[in-house]
Amino acid sequence: MTTVTDTLHIDGEEIPFTPGQTIMDAALMAGQYIPHLCHYPGLPPRGNCRLCVVEANNRSVAACTTPATPGLQIRSDTPELNEIRKAITQMLFVEGNHICPSCEKTGNCKLQAMAYHLGMLDDHFPQFYQRREIDASHPEILLDRSRCILCDLCVRASRDIDQKNVFAIAGRGTDARLIVNSPNGKLADTPIAITDLAARICPVGAILIKEQGYQVPIGQRIYDQNTIRETGLMETIAKKSDDEV
Ligand code: SF4
Ligand code: FES
């Protein structure tokens, strides 16, 4: 049984939490959406994307890594914070090579859905046009680093859930890149399988299952049916139900 011990406030609403929960955990569990890209229920937080930054007692903190504490007064859904989130999303678009209309992930992509959620109408910043390596070596899984936003989700999923440690992030700043932990650095040389969470968790079209392209038609995809807000809340409820089984 879950024991609620205290509360905090987000945008004026009282939110209960249990010891050990982060602000993000408490918010999503109570049906309060805080925008996020690198948070995933059940995986340890990393605080990579900064989409979830909120003001807690007038201090800017990442909701996904900051513990919930009694009496916190949090502001999240404000025009100022949403403008910052939009600028971060625009930066993520220009850092990679995102070709939404022809990407297999379109309609299932969290970055694209976040852009819609935040009312992003253009890239604003100049494109980087980075050259990034594609790894098509695996018979069933494609890794296209062009679209990688370095959220670290595949790294954590492979290490903490699949117990395979297939991925890592190397380098810093604009040199940061996703690497594959295998003798030749290729996916084919790893034990990754399409049933692994790491093969399915990518929020963008950087890790794709081969030979499944457009099996789900445009118009019937995740974010054609539900907003990223609704989907984010549903992911949390689904994880809670799994934990209770
Ligand atoms: Fe995140 Fe996908 Fe890049 Fe992995 S490949 S770090 S899941 S964007
Ligand atoms: Fe908190 Fe990405 S969700 S930093």
Side-chain angles (χ1 to χ4, degrees), residues 143 147-154 178 201-204 206-207:
L143 170 60
R147 298 189 279 265
C148 177
I149 58 170
L150 297 169
C151 68
D152 193 69
L153 282 174
C154 59
L178 186 72
I201 200 172
C202 184
V204 294
I207 299 176

Side-chain angles (χ1 to χ4, degrees), residues 67-101:
T69 48
L72 265 188
Q73 296 287 336
I74 294 163
R75 284 162 30 98
S76 173
D77 191 14
T78 69
E80 298 78 17
L81 286 169
N82 286 329
E83 270 309 303
I84 293 169
R85 292 173 180 137
K86 186 163 82 177
I88 293 170
T89 306
Q90 287 168 319
M91 283 187 238
L92 289 172
F93 267 92
V94 301
E95 275 171 15
N97 304 311
H98 296 277
I99 43 163
C100 299

Side-chain angles (χ1 to χ4, degrees), residues 33-44:
Y33 177 68
I34 296 177
H36 57 271
L37 285 174
C38 73
H39 163 81
Y40 192 85
L43 289 181

